[in-house]
Each structure stands twice: as C-alpha cells, then as structure tokens.
Amino acid sequence: MLKITTTSVTAPPPHISPSPSTTTTTQKNLLNYINRRHLLTALSISFTASHLSIPVADARGLFQMPPPRLTNQYYLVRAGESEFESLGIINTNPVAKTSVDSGLSEKGKKQIVKAALQLKEMGACDTGCWIWPSITQRAYQTAEIIAAVNKISRSYIVPEYSFLDARGLGAYEGKNLEAVSEVYASDTISPRNKPPPIDDGTPNESVADVFVRVTQLMSILETQYSEETIIIVSPDSDNLTILQAGLVGLDLRRHRDLSFALGKSDLLISAAYQLINNLPLLYTNVETHQFVPEISVFNL
C-alpha cells in the first residue's frame, strides 16, 4: 500500500509540460521515476499547504483540473477481466458494452471479489457509499460484487451512461490487446493524438477527449455530493489514469505511468480527511502486470 499526502496543486495545467524555469531540481529528479508509486510520491512532495484553508464554497464552483481540493472521498476501481479481454481482443465499441462478452470472465469475477474484500477491510463503505459504474457490462457487474461484499443496497449503484465508457480505440477495434502499446506510444507524443478512425461506429479518442469526459464526471460528482464516499468503476484503465493525471497536475502524456491493472483499485481522499501521519511508503512489492488488486492512497 502506498500512502501519499498532498495538500494543494502548484503544477501547471495537466496537458502542458512543466516549464523548466518553474520546476525545481528536486522535482526534475523525482519525476525521472516512471514507476507509479515513485511518481505519485514525487507529485506529493511538490505540493504546498496553502489551499487547506480554502472554504468549501469556493471549491465547489466550476470544476477545474487540478482542483484545489475534493469535497468527497473517492475510490477508483478498474473492472475485472472481461470475456473479450480473456481472449486477448480489443473491444471498445460502445454498441457492445452491454453484451454478454463485455461481462466479467470467471477470472475477472475472482479479481473483483478480492478488490471488494480489500475495500471492505479498509472500511470504504462503513458509513455508506455511492457506487458509480459505467453501464459497460463488466463495470456494472463489478459494482454489484462490490455492493454485495460491502453490504450496500443496489439502490446506491448509480449507472453512468457515457462519461465512463471505455476509451474508443478506433481502427484497433478487434485487434490483439498487445496492439494497445502503439496507442500509448502515440499518447506520449501528444495528448491530442487519436487512434486511426474506423467506420464501424467505434470512437477514436485521444487522451484529451477522455480528459474532457472525466472532468465532466467529476464536476457532476463534486456538485451533487458533499462529504460522501464515492466508488467510481471504469471498464478500462485509461479513464482512471487520465483522471488521476488531471487531479494531480501531471502532464497528460504521462498518464500511462499511473496504469491500473485489471481489478485494481485506488483511493483518493479529500483534504478534509487528514492522513498526514502515514506518509511513509507502505508498498513493498514492485509494479507488475499481474492481475493483483492493489490499493494506494493520497490526499488532495
């Protein structure tokens, strides 16, 4: 477990690389680590405490990335392995998102049971929580498992119809999952680069396109709820990595550094939840591509 405390964001807008004139030597050295845990640690060190005194009312206007603070506690969860993913096939066409093949595989169900038990152990829903999943089959099934394990009524599951759709990969639709590496290589050049288009209705979304969607989602959540616990369930990793990059002010070209394994969950806690006493790194294992649910914590 990685527990990182941050208090305010001083980095430039997430879609623009930090200016050399304003980036300290320490920041430059720390950001050389592309490992997810070191990266989040580095970002936390660059923040100051100036925004802790901002009134909640001032923070609840038009939602901007990165925000001065969050008014709710958020858990970010990537759905478990789907039937398509078990076959090694890319499937991002929203037309198929409610199909049986977009649902959890047997392995995916086991992944999410483990993640749900971790959330329960952390007390994620001890005082109640809202679960916001994409209506993509595997994400909604993930939400149902989390609700069942944490004894949360299904009435607290709020289906999200578009903002949490899996990133549309255009002409990569139907290709082998390994081909996604080409998309991520393009992402590192510019967040506005799109995958090649296709005529079957699959969107070809850039990182910037997804950034707009997740910003709109956060705007809704931060205005609709206050001091609540919300579990966001995404069918893919990109929604969550781009969201986290935006929240901490990371250059969007580096969103992949925050990659979510299948069935993995992360926790974001607002500045109202003081966890400053637990700054030391608690992760003991290195990042792997194994489908092992992990949880990291940082404050915003």
Side-chain angles (χ1 to χ4, degrees):
M1 179 181 290
L2 167 64
K3 202 161 196 173
I4 303 174
T5 301
T6 69
T7 51
S8 78
V9 177
T10 57
H15 60 284
I16 300 176
S17 300
S19 169
S21 63
T22 58
T23 305
T24 65
T25 301
T26 300
Q27 289 172 312
K28 288 180 180 177
N29 292 336
L30 288 170
L31 289 175
N32 285 331
Y33 292 94
I34 63 171
N35 179 278
R36 172 189 179 81
R37 299 169 181 84
H38 290 97
L39 175 60
L40 290 176
T41 305
L43 287 168
S44 71
I45 292 174
S46 71
F47 298 158
T48 69
S50 61
H51 283 293
L52 282 177
S53 61
I54 292 179
V56 173
D58 292 342
R60 288 174 63 82
L62 179 63
F63 190 83
Q64 297 180 346
M65 292 282 203
R69 62 160 291 175
L70 296 173
T71 62
N72 299 299
Q73 175 172 271
Y74 294 92
Y75 290 79
L76 306 183
V77 179
R78 179 181 178 182
E81 179 188 74
S82 70
E83 294 289 354
F84 274 117
E85 288 168 325
S86 71
L87 298 173
I89 298 174
I90 295 174
N91 178 257
T92 60
N93 191 324
V95 172
K97 63 186 177 183
T98 58
S99 71
V100 174
D101 288 335
S102 290
L104 293 172
S105 66
E106 289 303 312
K107 184 176 184 178
K109 293 174 184 176
K110 293 177 182 178
Q111 292 166 353
I112 294 307
V113 167
K114 290 180 180 179
L117 288 171
Q118 282 189 301
L119 294 174
K120 183 177 181 179
E121 183 178 349
M122 294 182 68
C125 296
D126 282 356
T127 59
C129 63
W130 295 90
I131 307 176
W132 276 62
S134 163
I135 63 168
T136 303
Q137 188 80 337
R138 62 183 175 275
Y140 199 86
Q141 289 175 341
T142 293
E144 291 180 315
I145 293 173
I146 292 173
V149 170
N150 287 273
K151 295 180 170 55
I152 298 298
S153 169
R154 290 182 61 173
S155 63
Y156 285 88
I157 298 177
V158 183
E160 210 302 305
Y161 290 88
S162 59
F163 294 150
L164 282 174
D165 283 355
R167 179 184 178 184
L169 297 182
Y172 286 91
E173 187 75 358
K175 291 188 176 182
N176 191 287
L177 280 174
E178 295 178 357
V180 174
S181 61
E182 298 174 17
V183 177
Y184 294 137
S186 178
D187 289 350
T188 62
I189 298 173
S190 171
R192 293 181 175 82
N193 284 346
K194 295 175 179 283
I198 193 172
D199 59 5
D200 69 351
T202 304
N204 58 320
E205 294 185 293
S206 67
V207 170
D209 293 330
V210 178
F211 178 73
V212 170
R213 289 203 277 110
V214 296
T215 301
Q216 290 172 322
L217 174 69
M218 291 302 296
S219 180
I220 292 171
L221 295 176
E222 283 291 284
T223 53
Q224 184 169 329
Y225 301 101
S226 179
E227 304 301 331
E228 298 278 4
T229 296
I230 302 167
I231 300 175
I232 298 174
V233 184
S234 170
D236 69 348
S237 176
D238 285 6
N239 283 327
L240 305 180
T241 59
I242 294 169
L243 171 57
Q244 285 200 74
L247 289 171
V248 301
L250 176 68
D251 188 324
L252 290 180
R253 291 174 297 180
R254 300 188 63 190
H255 77 93
R256 188 61 177 168
D257 294 349
L258 306 176
S259 177
F260 278 66
L262 291 168
K264 181 178 178 180
S265 61
D266 271 42
L267 171 62
L268 300 112
I269 301 180
S270 71
Y273 296 81
Q274 300 296 321
L275 296 176
I276 296 175
N277 293 329
N278 294 292
L279 181 59
L281 299 182
L282 299 180
Y283 267 120
T284 57
N285 60 317
V286 297
E287 183 72 38
T288 70
H289 294 293
Q290 297 177 347
F291 301 149
V292 180
E294 302 176 55
I295 296 177
S296 67
V297 183
F298 62 95
N299 283 351
L300 198 59

mmCIF file of all heavy atoms in Angstrom, residues 14 22 27 36-37 57 63 68 80 103 109 128 134 138 142 146 154 164 168 178 186 190 192 199 209 234 250 271:
data_model
loop_
_atom_site.group_PDB
_atom_site.id
_atom_site.type_symbol
_atom_site.label_atom_id
_atom_site.label_comp_id
_atom_site.label_asym_id
_atom_site.label_seq_id
_atom_site.Cartn_x
_atom_site.Cartn_y
_atom_site.Cartn_z
ATOM 1 N N PRO A 14 -2.579 20.145 -16.617
ATOM 2 C CA PRO A 14 -2.088 18.811 -16.877
ATOM 3 C C PRO A 14 -1.732 18.529 -18.319
ATOM 4 O O PRO A 14 -0.988 17.623 -18.599
ATOM 5 C CB PRO A 14 -3.263 17.932 -16.429
ATOM 6 C CG PRO A 14 -4.451 18.830 -16.474
ATOM 7 C CD PRO A 14 -3.933 20.185 -16.125
ATOM 8 N N THR A 22 10.256 26.919 -13.885
ATOM 9 C CA THR A 22 9.490 26.851 -12.644
ATOM 10 C C THR A 22 9.571 25.496 -11.975
ATOM 11 O O THR A 22 8.982 25.276 -10.939
ATOM 12 C CB THR A 22 8.007 27.175 -12.911
ATOM 13 O OG1 THR A 22 7.490 26.245 -13.879
ATOM 14 C CG2 THR A 22 7.834 28.581 -13.442
ATOM 15 N N GLN A 27 12.162 18.290 -8.088
ATOM 16 C CA GLN A 27 11.033 17.776 -8.871
ATOM 17 C C GLN A 27 11.532 17.038 -10.104
ATOM 18 O O GLN A 27 11.033 15.975 -10.464
ATOM 19 C CB GLN A 27 10.102 18.905 -9.283
ATOM 20 C CG GLN A 27 9.296 19.479 -8.111
ATOM 21 C CD GLN A 27 8.534 20.706 -8.525
ATOM 22 O OE1 GLN A 27 9.097 21.596 -9.141
ATOM 23 N NE2 GLN A 27 7.263 20.757 -8.181
ATOM 24 N N ARG A 36 4.897 3.936 -10.939
ATOM 25 C CA ARG A 36 3.666 4.560 -10.456
ATOM 26 C C ARG A 36 3.801 5.099 -9.043
ATOM 27 O O ARG A 36 3.415 6.229 -8.750
ATOM 28 C CB ARG A 36 2.538 3.528 -10.515
ATOM 29 C CG ARG A 36 1.258 3.969 -9.874
ATOM 30 C CD ARG A 36 0.313 2.766 -9.822
ATOM 31 N NE ARG A 36 -0.910 3.187 -9.190
ATOM 32 C CZ ARG A 36 -1.868 3.832 -9.835
ATOM 33 N NH1 ARG A 36 -1.744 4.114 -11.103
ATOM 34 N NH2 ARG A 36 -2.968 4.188 -9.207
ATOM 35 N N ARG A 37 4.386 4.321 -8.171
ATOM 36 C CA ARG A 37 4.431 4.720 -6.766
ATOM 37 C C ARG A 37 5.396 5.882 -6.549
ATOM 38 O O ARG A 37 5.117 6.826 -5.821
ATOM 39 C CB ARG A 37 4.800 3.514 -5.919
ATOM 40 C CG ARG A 37 3.749 2.419 -6.091
ATOM 41 C CD ARG A 37 4.208 1.103 -5.474
ATOM 42 N NE ARG A 37 3.167 0.118 -5.694
ATOM 43 C CZ ARG A 37 3.041 -0.591 -6.808
ATOM 44 N NH1 ARG A 37 3.881 -0.412 -7.791
ATOM 45 N NH2 ARG A 37 2.069 -1.477 -6.940
ATOM 46 N N ALA A 57 -17.154 26.324 -0.036
ATOM 47 C CA ALA A 57 -17.989 27.032 -1.008
ATOM 48 C C ALA A 57 -17.164 27.512 -2.193
ATOM 49 O O ALA A 57 -17.613 27.479 -3.338
ATOM 50 C CB ALA A 57 -18.690 28.211 -0.345
ATOM 51 N N PHE A 63 -15.756 23.070 -11.896
ATOM 52 C CA PHE A 63 -14.683 22.137 -11.579
ATOM 53 C C PHE A 63 -13.529 22.302 -12.555
ATOM 54 O O PHE A 63 -13.721 22.315 -13.761
ATOM 55 C CB PHE A 63 -15.196 20.699 -11.621
ATOM 56 C CG PHE A 63 -14.219 19.702 -11.072
ATOM 57 C CD1 PHE A 63 -14.133 19.476 -9.711
ATOM 58 C CD2 PHE A 63 -13.359 19.007 -11.915
ATOM 59 C CE1 PHE A 63 -13.220 18.564 -9.194
ATOM 60 C CE2 PHE A 63 -12.442 18.095 -11.413
ATOM 61 C CZ PHE A 63 -12.379 17.868 -10.047
ATOM 62 N N PRO A 68 -8.272 22.537 -6.260
ATOM 63 C CA PRO A 68 -7.596 22.880 -5.007
ATOM 64 C C PRO A 68 -7.866 21.853 -3.920
ATOM 65 O O PRO A 68 -7.047 21.635 -3.037
ATOM 66 C CB PRO A 68 -8.183 24.242 -4.636
ATOM 67 C CG PRO A 68 -9.506 24.278 -5.335
ATOM 68 C CD PRO A 68 -9.298 23.538 -6.614
ATOM 69 N N GLY A 80 -12.845 -5.948 -13.483
ATOM 70 C CA GLY A 80 -12.042 -7.145 -13.690
ATOM 71 C C GLY A 80 -11.996 -7.538 -15.155
ATOM 72 O O GLY A 80 -12.590 -6.894 -16.026
ATOM 73 N N GLY A 103 -19.016 -8.738 -20.396
ATOM 74 C CA GLY A 103 -19.134 -9.012 -18.968
ATOM 75 C C GLY A 103 -17.877 -9.634 -18.398
ATOM 76 O O GLY A 103 -16.921 -9.939 -19.127
ATOM 77 N N LYS A 109 -14.225 -12.134 -12.219
ATOM 78 C CA LYS A 109 -15.066 -12.151 -11.016
ATOM 79 C C LYS A 109 -14.227 -12.375 -9.763
ATOM 80 O O LYS A 109 -14.453 -11.728 -8.728
ATOM 81 C CB LYS A 109 -16.128 -13.245 -11.143
ATOM 82 C CG LYS A 109 -17.164 -12.978 -12.231
ATOM 83 C CD LYS A 109 -18.106 -14.153 -12.415
ATOM 84 C CE LYS A 109 -19.076 -13.907 -13.564
ATOM 85 N NZ LYS A 109 -19.947 -15.087 -13.817
ATOM 86 N N GLY A 128 -21.503 4.105 4.656
ATOM 87 C CA GLY A 128 -22.291 4.277 3.444
ATOM 88 C C GLY A 128 -21.436 4.761 2.291
ATOM 89 O O GLY A 128 -20.416 5.435 2.499
ATOM 90 N N SER A 134 -19.676 2.517 -14.943
ATOM 91 C CA SER A 134 -20.113 2.594 -16.334
ATOM 92 C C SER A 134 -21.169 1.510 -16.542
ATOM 93 O O SER A 134 -21.156 0.470 -15.862
ATOM 94 C CB SER A 134 -18.920 2.345 -17.252
ATOM 95 O OG SER A 134 -19.341 2.030 -18.564
ATOM 96 N N ARG A 138 -19.049 -5.342 -17.736
ATOM 97 C CA ARG A 138 -18.067 -5.746 -16.732
ATOM 98 C C ARG A 138 -17.964 -4.742 -15.593
ATOM 99 O O ARG A 138 -17.702 -5.116 -14.442
ATOM 100 C CB ARG A 138 -16.704 -5.985 -17.371
ATOM 101 C CG ARG A 138 -16.055 -4.773 -18.040
ATOM 102 C CD ARG A 138 -14.752 -5.185 -18.700
ATOM 103 N NE ARG A 138 -14.118 -4.108 -19.454
ATOM 104 C CZ ARG A 138 -14.406 -3.786 -20.709
ATOM 105 N NH1 ARG A 138 -15.347 -4.467 -21.346
ATOM 106 N NH2 ARG A 138 -13.762 -2.808 -21.339
ATOM 107 N N THR A 142 -19.009 -5.481 -11.764
ATOM 108 C CA THR A 142 -18.031 -5.170 -10.716
ATOM 109 C C THR A 142 -18.695 -4.404 -9.579
ATOM 110 O O THR A 142 -18.482 -4.702 -8.400
ATOM 111 C CB THR A 142 -16.873 -4.338 -11.302
ATOM 112 O OG1 THR A 142 -16.137 -5.134 -12.223
ATOM 113 C CG2 THR A 142 -15.939 -3.836 -10.208
ATOM 114 N N ILE A 146 -19.038 -5.472 -5.593
ATOM 115 C CA ILE A 146 -18.571 -4.585 -4.521
ATOM 116 C C ILE A 146 -19.706 -4.293 -3.540
ATOM 117 O O ILE A 146 -19.522 -4.321 -2.310
ATOM 118 C CB ILE A 146 -18.021 -3.275 -5.108
ATOM 119 C CG1 ILE A 146 -16.724 -3.541 -5.882
ATOM 120 C CG2 ILE A 146 -17.784 -2.238 -4.006
ATOM 121 C CD1 ILE A 146 -16.202 -2.342 -6.644
ATOM 122 N N ARG A 154 -28.366 -2.153 -3.604
ATOM 123 C CA ARG A 154 -28.180 -1.873 -5.022
ATOM 124 C C ARG A 154 -28.785 -0.522 -5.403
ATOM 125 O O ARG A 154 -28.478 0.012 -6.469
ATOM 126 C CB ARG A 154 -28.812 -2.985 -5.859
ATOM 127 C CG ARG A 154 -28.052 -4.292 -5.756
ATOM 128 C CD ARG A 154 -28.662 -5.366 -6.641
ATOM 129 N NE ARG A 154 -28.635 -4.996 -8.045
ATOM 130 C CZ ARG A 154 -28.980 -5.814 -9.025
ATOM 131 N NH1 ARG A 154 -29.359 -7.054 -8.748
ATOM 132 N NH2 ARG A 154 -28.944 -5.418 -10.280
ATOM 133 N N LEU A 164 -18.040 7.402 -18.548
ATOM 134 C CA LEU A 164 -17.112 6.350 -18.148
ATOM 135 C C LEU A 164 -16.996 5.233 -19.183
ATOM 136 O O LEU A 164 -16.512 4.142 -18.873
ATOM 137 C CB LEU A 164 -17.531 5.761 -16.792
ATOM 138 C CG LEU A 164 -17.171 6.587 -15.564
ATOM 139 C CD1 LEU A 164 -17.762 5.972 -14.308
ATOM 140 C CD2 LEU A 164 -15.650 6.730 -15.419
ATOM 141 N N GLY A 168 -12.424 4.824 -26.686
ATOM 142 C CA GLY A 168 -12.597 4.276 -28.024
ATOM 143 C C GLY A 168 -11.279 4.243 -28.776
ATOM 144 O O GLY A 168 -10.615 5.272 -28.918
ATOM 145 N N GLU A 178 -2.258 -6.589 -27.368
ATOM 146 C CA GLU A 178 -0.880 -6.083 -27.372
ATOM 147 C C GLU A 178 -0.719 -4.861 -28.275
ATOM 148 O O GLU A 178 0.203 -4.063 -28.091
ATOM 149 C CB GLU A 178 0.072 -7.189 -27.815
ATOM 150 C CG GLU A 178 0.139 -8.364 -26.846
ATOM 151 C CD GLU A 178 1.055 -9.461 -27.327
ATOM 152 O OE1 GLU A 178 1.593 -9.322 -28.460
ATOM 153 O OE2 GLU A 178 1.238 -10.437 -26.595
ATOM 154 N N SER A 186 1.830 6.684 -29.019
ATOM 155 C CA SER A 186 1.338 7.923 -29.630
ATOM 156 C C SER A 186 0.932 8.934 -28.561
ATOM 157 O O SER A 186 1.137 10.139 -28.717
ATOM 158 C CB SER A 186 0.151 7.613 -30.540
ATOM 159 O OG SER A 186 -0.386 8.785 -31.107
ATOM 160 N N SER A 190 1.688 13.395 -27.959
ATOM 161 C CA SER A 190 0.715 14.466 -27.749
ATOM 162 C C SER A 190 -0.578 13.887 -27.205
ATOM 163 O O SER A 190 -1.048 12.852 -27.698
ATOM 164 C CB SER A 190 0.424 15.207 -29.057
ATOM 165 O OG SER A 190 -0.674 16.102 -28.885
ATOM 166 N N ARG A 192 -3.353 14.927 -27.790
ATOM 167 C CA ARG A 192 -4.389 15.148 -28.799
ATOM 168 C C ARG A 192 -4.308 14.148 -29.966
ATOM 169 O O ARG A 192 -5.139 14.189 -30.862
ATOM 170 C CB ARG A 192 -4.316 16.585 -29.327
ATOM 171 C CG ARG A 192 -4.672 17.624 -28.274
ATOM 172 C CD ARG A 192 -4.606 19.037 -28.824
ATOM 173 N NE ARG A 192 -5.058 20.011 -27.850
ATOM 174 C CZ ARG A 192 -4.304 20.498 -26.876
ATOM 175 N NH1 ARG A 192 -3.045 20.106 -26.768
ATOM 176 N NH2 ARG A 192 -4.791 21.371 -26.017
ATOM 177 N N ASP A 199 -14.946 2.738 -39.527
ATOM 178 C CA ASP A 199 -16.325 3.065 -39.908
ATOM 179 C C ASP A 199 -17.374 2.162 -39.268
ATOM 180 O O ASP A 199 -18.515 2.092 -39.720
ATOM 181 C CB ASP A 199 -16.483 3.025 -41.430
ATOM 182 C CG ASP A 199 -16.148 1.660 -42.026
ATOM 183 O OD1 ASP A 199 -15.879 0.719 -41.241
ATOM 184 O OD2 ASP A 199 -16.156 1.541 -43.269
ATOM 185 N N ASP A 209 -9.625 13.888 -25.327
ATOM 186 C CA ASP A 209 -11.057 13.595 -25.395
ATOM 187 C C ASP A 209 -11.537 12.944 -24.099
ATOM 188 O O ASP A 209 -12.589 13.297 -23.551
ATOM 189 C CB ASP A 209 -11.359 12.658 -26.568
ATOM 190 C CG ASP A 209 -11.119 13.301 -27.921
ATOM 191 O OD1 ASP A 209 -11.271 14.537 -28.022
ATOM 192 O OD2 ASP A 209 -10.774 12.574 -28.873
ATOM 193 N N SER A 234 -14.621 1.924 -13.579
ATOM 194 C CA SER A 234 -14.374 2.110 -15.009
ATOM 195 C C SER A 234 -14.113 0.762 -15.685
ATOM 196 O O SER A 234 -13.477 -0.117 -15.092
ATOM 197 C CB SER A 234 -13.163 3.017 -15.223
ATOM 198 O OG SER A 234 -12.760 3.031 -16.578
ATOM 199 N N LEU A 250 -0.442 16.215 -13.484
ATOM 200 C CA LEU A 250 0.594 15.542 -14.260
ATOM 201 C C LEU A 250 0.354 15.758 -15.749
ATOM 202 O O LEU A 250 -0.782 15.743 -16.213
ATOM 203 C CB LEU A 250 0.561 14.040 -13.943
ATOM 204 C CG LEU A 250 1.511 13.141 -14.727
ATOM 205 C CD1 LEU A 250 2.961 13.436 -14.344
ATOM 206 C CD2 LEU A 250 1.191 11.673 -14.466
ATOM 207 N N ALA A 271 -8.869 16.676 1.214
ATOM 208 C CA ALA A 271 -8.038 17.291 2.255
ATOM 209 C C ALA A 271 -8.736 17.286 3.603
ATOM 210 O O ALA A 271 -8.096 17.440 4.634
ATOM 211 C CB ALA A 271 -7.689 18.715 1.848
#
